[in-house]
């Protein structure tokens, strides 16, 4: 029998994605997710400020969890997310995040994206990805990037 190890990414996603009555009653979360993506894009500009970071984090819960398994990232809490984002301000410019697909189901929004930007050294970066966003009371409780 295949078992999911406790504490793994999949255990976290499974536990967080079980709809609660509040999550099941939410609808129209895609516009919130797209506004969040626009705020993320703004934070990736060369002239982004702490005010832009706070605008981005206004979308998330206090116990927000960010996961990015490809780079082994796990950031817990809005304050930790803020500190991490602030530490990277000015590293990118000319950011564009294009959403080609947005699917909403039971308090979860999945976005298929294409992100492009320039690094501080002028290197052009262009990459595809999938972002899974779990909402709680119309705020983002979890973001997982794949």
């Amino acid at each position: 029998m295949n078992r999911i190890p406790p504490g793994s990414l999949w255990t976290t996603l499974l536990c967080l994605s079980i709809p609660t009555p509040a999550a099941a009653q939410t609808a129209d979360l895609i516009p919130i997710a797209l506004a969040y993506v626009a705020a993320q894009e703004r934070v990736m500009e060369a002239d982004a400020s702490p005010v832009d970071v706070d605008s981005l984090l206004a979308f998330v819960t206090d116990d927000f969890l960010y996961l990015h398994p490809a780079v082994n990232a796990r950031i817990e809490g809005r304050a930790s997310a803020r500190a991490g984002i602030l530490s990277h301000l000015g590293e990118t410019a000319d950011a564009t995040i294009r959403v080609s697909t947005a699917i909403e189901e039971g308090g979860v929004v999945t976005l298929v994206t294409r992100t492009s930007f320039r690094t501080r050294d002028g290197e052009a970066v262009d990459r595809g990805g999938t972002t899974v966003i779990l909402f709680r009371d119309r705020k983002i409780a979890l973001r997982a990037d794949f």
Side-chain angles (χ1 to χ4, degrees), residues 61-74:
T61 60
D62 288 339
D63 63 342
F64 170 71
L65 176 61
Y66 174 74
L67 302 170
H68 196 313
V71 296
N72 201 29
R74 180 185 178 95

Side-chain angles (χ1 to χ4, degrees), residues 3-87:
R3 292 180 144 331
I4 299 172
S8 74
L9 167 66
W10 300 114
T11 302
T12 302
L13 289 175
L14 178 63
C15 291
L16 291 172
S17 65
I18 297 170
T20 61
Q25 293 173 12
T26 60
D28 302 320
L29 298 172
I30 290 174
I32 299 170
L34 295 177
Y36 172 76
V37 167
Q40 176 68 59
E41 190 177 77
R42 174 67 195 124
V43 165
M44 294 173 69
E45 291 300 335
D47 64 346
S49 71
V51 170
D52 296 313
V53 174
D54 292 338
S55 293
L56 173 67
L57 294 175
F59 287 94
V60 307
T61 60
D62 288 339
D63 63 342
F64 170 71
L65 176 61
Y66 174 74
L67 302 170
H68 196 313
V71 296
N72 201 29
R74 180 185 178 95
I75 300 170
E76 297 181 42
R78 184 187 318 199
S80 294
R82 185 175 193 280
I85 296 166
L86 287 172
S87 74

